[in-house]
Amino acid sequence: MRKNIVAGNWKMNKTLSEGIALAKEVNAAVAGKSLKCDVVLGTPFIHLASVCSAIDTTKTGVSAQNCADKVSGAYTGEVSAAMIASTGAKYVILGHSERRAYYGETDAILKEKVKLALDNGLTPIFCIGEVLSEREAGKHFDVVRSQLENALFDFSAADFGKLVLAYEPVWAIGTGKTATPGQAQEMHAFIRKTIAGKYNAETAGNCSILYGGSCNPSNAAQLFSNPDVDGGLIGGASLNADDFMQIITAF
Ligand code: 13P
């Protein structure tokens, strides 16, 4: 079912003790509140197990930021979906533009990662979005459609229904340049229409589509008030519990 979700993506920030402290602060702030969204913390791998045991994960979900495209074995430095699931984490961010740009992750690799995440009961938070030159060339819809088609549209409707999507225009990530509520709504509606065309209206209607890219306490309410924007994937503003809580309560 479609849910509102506010997920933090800490990226490569916070030592272990800082991360545990931040997770506890968020968890304490959400405890006892009746929120209009689910809350997720996307921590570095090494924080996952400690954060999961330090907080109430029924109130605050925990996510990895990547997983291996292989099951197990001689892949030095990699972390498998099964390992992530064994920490108590329930989500994994996949296809983030930083992974695509800096670590060469292609749609084909991402398809494998999504499959392994699903096989291990994790909910992928799958990121899509265009770079500035693609938007300026009027190709943003084509880019997003092809990311969906190439990485995700081989999955069955039942498996697709387990995914959360995040539209993150790359030009808005960490730049302070947010998509306007109109730009976000336009793309989210396009994504939903594309899913309906491939699968059906029910699958499209049930899909949570988050917005990411310089979302902060002052623009979250406007972005989330759009009918096709079901929450946010928050980078910088998730590193501070007060800012993150203001975004969570923007619903
Ligand atoms: P910022 O919120 O820092 O722009 O980052 C967005 C993002 O990349 C979340 O995954």
Side-chain angles (χ1 to χ4, degrees):
M1 280 307 289
R2 186 159 159 191
K3 284 190 213 165
N4 293 330
I5 301 170
V6 173
N9 176 7
W10 294 358
K11 307 190 180 181
M12 197 174 72
N13 292 293
K14 304 286 177 190
T15 63
L16 181 58
S17 59
E18 290 166 352
I20 293 170
L22 174 59
K24 282 183 169 170
E25 217 183 325
V26 172
N27 198 223
V30 301
K33 277 208 175 65
S34 80
L35 299 173
K36 299 204 181 81
C37 63
D38 288 0
V39 176
V40 176
L41 302 175
T43 83
F45 286 132
I46 65 135
H47 298 51
L48 292 172
S50 308
V51 165
C52 285
S53 37
I55 65 171
D56 177 356
T57 53
T58 65
K59 296 267 183 295
T60 312
V62 178
S63 178
Q65 301 172 14
N66 180 29
C67 73
D69 61 342
K70 303 286 193 301
V71 175
S72 66
Y75 302 101
T76 302
E78 288 295 301
V79 175
S80 73
M83 292 172 188
I84 292 165
S86 75
T87 67
K90 298 278 188 265
Y91 298 83
V92 56
I93 298 167
L94 291 174
H96 193 282
S97 61
E98 290 150 15
R99 302 281 332 160
R100 293 176 190 259
Y102 308 145
Y103 302 98
E105 296 196 0
T106 61
D107 292 328
I109 291 171
L110 291 169
K111 191 192 293 189
E112 288 305 306
K113 294 190 176 198
V114 170
K115 183 181 177 305
L116 289 165
L118 292 175
D119 285 350
N120 286 281
L122 296 171
T123 299
I125 301 174
F126 193 85
C127 304
I128 50 184
E130 80 286 356
V131 300
L132 185 60
S133 58
E134 291 164 338
R135 177 162 282 264
E136 285 174 345
K139 295 192 175 134
H140 42 299
F141 295 119
D142 292 342
V143 168
V144 165
R145 187 197 297 109
S146 106
Q147 290 170 337
L148 287 168
E149 282 174 356
N150 295 333
L152 302 180
F153 280 1
D154 285 346
F155 290 98
S156 66
D159 277 346
F160 188 90
K162 296 173 188 159
L163 308 177
V164 170
L165 298 183
Y167 170 57
E168 297 208 307
V170 180
W171 47 270
I173 295 176
T175 57
K177 207 168 146 193
T178 318
T180 63
Q183 286 172 323
Q185 169 57 27
E186 182 185 39
M187 182 58 89
H188 284 227
F190 171 80
I191 293 167
R192 215 177 288 288
K193 196 178 86 188
T194 306
I195 298 166
K198 162 67 190 174
Y199 296 100
N200 50 57
E202 194 191 350
T203 304
N206 283 338
C207 184
S208 296
I209 309 175
L210 316 184
Y211 168 80
S214 298
C215 184
N216 61 44
S218 52
N219 58 31
Q222 253 204 319
L223 286 161
F224 298 171
S225 67
N226 286 295
D228 288 301
V229 177
D230 306 310
L233 183 55
I234 318 299
S238 73
L239 297 174
N240 172 288
D242 288 340
D243 288 349
F244 192 50
M245 278 311 293
Q246 285 185 57
I247 296 172
I248 289 165
T249 53
F251 269 110

